[in-house]
Amino acid sequence: MSILFSPLTLRGLTARNRLWVAPMCQYSAADGIPQEWHHMHLAQFASGGAGIVMAEATAVSAEARISPEDTGLWNDAQRDAWAPIVAAIRERGALAGVQLAHAGRKASTWSPFSGHRGSVPPDQGGWGTVAPSAVAYDGFAEPVELGAAAIDAIVRDFAAAAVRAVQAGFQVIEIHAAHGYLLHQFLSPLSNLRSDDYGGSLENRARLLLRIVDAVRDAAPDAALFVRFSASDWADGGWDVEETATVARWAAERGADFFDISSGGLVAHQRIVTGPGYQVGFAAEVRRRADVLVSAVGQITEASQAEQLLAAGDADAVMAAREWLRDPHFALRAASELGADIDYWPKQYLRARLA
């Protein structure tokens, strides 16, 4: 019996397996509105057997976007454009998820397709950025330090986006607190130099995230609620796996159901050592320390590799990214390789099923 192809139930929602699609920015939206590309991109993974399909980092306000081409959920037009995409995912048997995000000091940047790097100038469609402290990411524009009223507004933005997500049909909501974006910036002492209620101690640095967990849980009581963490800054004096586990436990006590464990992205001087499954140890440590459900991510490309890490108790699910781009039917292929008997092969593709 394959663990990878066993179901997992979260808040009354059952993912048909534990091989899921990680959120991957497409930098292809117009005014925050997802396009036909997003429909094709996401629906194919559901046809390919994914248990959960997580849509990309989706901004909770216009100012929260990583780039001008990011998707959003800050208005009803965006919600309505997401609805048929979500329906297509669900009709193909996967749970539909969305990652709600605020980029903070890493907002208003050029997309990777532009040929440019760094902040987009205001006269070319960029905007001013915000952060816990007025400390720029290397090579980016200096952000404005957030005041109390602006922090309150961001909490409201996450809650409002969560409401729209549910209205669009999303069943899973992930709060993005990783990869150097705003909530990660608050968590890490390398980017949070505040001396008020949002800085200094771990409790204070986690305050904004926990307020958002509360707000999103209240706004979407029936959704499965994920939090994505970077479990290490890969830099001296930065956020680490022990702090990640502590805050994950606090978030679970407030209603978060699951934790998506990645790493890095906060500072340009990070020193990451990569390799197959290089982040799995972080997931295992958070799972053990916090006694919470977690997914592992990071160069997980083989069915046997994914099966083995679940069997070892390192994680409860696998989030893959690039392998889904290489093969949108990764789950169907993995099931055949593992000899898992699944009943959700599309009938149109049965002729390609391996014996």
Side-chain angles (χ1 to χ4, degrees):
M1 184 69 180
S2 167
I3 301 173
L4 189 63
F5 286 93
S6 64
L8 181 63
T9 299
L10 300 164
R11 200 165 287 267
L13 298 165
T14 299
R16 60 189 173 184
N17 60 46
R18 301 174 186 230
L19 184 55
W20 304 344
V21 179
M24 292 177 277
C25 288
Q26 298 298 289
Y27 303 105
S28 300
D31 297 321
I33 294 176
Q35 305 294 300
E36 173 57 28
W37 174 266
H38 297 87
H39 193 136
M40 177 281 301
H41 167 68
L42 295 168
Q44 67 179 340
F45 301 135
S47 294
I52 296 177
V53 176
M54 189 74 72
E56 65 195 78
T58 296
V60 299
S61 67
E63 297 75 20
R65 292 172 293 170
I66 302 167
S67 80
E69 291 78 30
D70 280 25
T71 57
L73 268 170
W74 70 83
N75 65 41
D76 291 350
Q78 294 157 357
R79 175 201 64 194
D80 295 345
W82 276 116
I85 299 171
V86 175
I89 295 169
R90 294 178 60 170
E91 286 165 3
R92 289 161 173 80
L95 297 181
V98 64
Q99 184 185 68
L100 299 183
H102 193 303
R105 69 180 187 175
K106 293 177 77 174
S108 187
T109 58
W110 294 102
S111 86
F113 313 141
S114 69
H116 303 288
R117 184 188 180 279
S119 300
V120 180
D123 63 357
Q124 296 185 58
W127 57 91
T129 60
V130 297
S133 303
V135 179
Y137 184 85
D138 187 40
F140 292 4
E142 183 176 305
V144 172
E145 181 174 311
L146 284 161
I151 289 173
D152 291 345
I154 288 170
V155 176
R156 292 194 296 271
D157 288 341
F158 271 89
V163 169
R164 290 192 180 93
V166 171
Q167 291 171 343
F170 285 110
Q171 301 147 293
V172 180
I173 296 174
E174 179 168 271
I175 298 169
H176 198 358
H179 300 164
Y181 298 120
L182 183 69
L183 299 182
H184 186 185
Q185 292 161 28
F186 269 89
L187 291 170
S188 176
L190 296 180
S191 49
N192 184 345
L193 309 181
R194 301 173 74 101
S195 58
D196 63 359
D197 288 346
Y198 292 92
S201 68
L202 180 59
E203 292 84 355
N204 284 354
R205 285 183 278 122
R207 190 179 306 277
L208 176 56
L209 170 60
L210 296 177
R211 286 188 63 191
I212 289 170
V213 169
D214 287 340
V216 172
R217 174 46 72 214
D218 287 346
D222 298 324
L225 180 55
F226 288 26
V227 179
R228 182 167 237 194
F229 284 115
S230 281
S232 173
D233 287 339
W234 297 91
D236 290 343
W239 175 254
D240 61 25
V241 69
E242 182 177 357
E243 290 183 315
T244 302
T246 299
V247 178
R249 186 172 63 252
W250 293 343
E253 291 168 354
R254 292 168 176 262
D257 300 301
F258 197 93
F259 299 89
D260 176 6
I261 307 301
S262 186
S263 70
L266 184 85
V267 291
H269 63 272
Q270 64 185 9
R271 293 292 179 266
I272 301 178
V273 180
T274 65
Y278 72 101
Q279 298 176 128
V280 171
F282 293 134
E285 188 73 1
V286 171
R287 187 177 190 264
R288 181 185 66 81
R289 286 177 176 268
D291 192 23
V292 294
L293 300 176
V294 304
S295 58
V297 69
Q299 294 190 29
I300 301 170
T301 60
E302 302 289 340
S304 59
Q305 176 193 16
E307 181 76 17
Q308 288 165 13
L309 74 88
L310 295 183
D314 292 334
D316 301 283
V318 169
M319 284 275 199
R322 288 176 176 85
E323 193 60 25
W324 282 105
L325 298 183
R326 288 185 282 263
D327 180 4
H329 303 102
F330 181 25
L332 299 181
R333 170 167 58 86
S336 291
E337 291 174 356
L338 294 173
D341 184 18
I342 60 172
D343 61 3
Y344 43 88
W345 267 81
K347 63 178 182 288
Q348 297 90 340
Y349 291 175
L350 277 171
R351 74 190 74 175
R353 186 173 184 171
L354 298 175

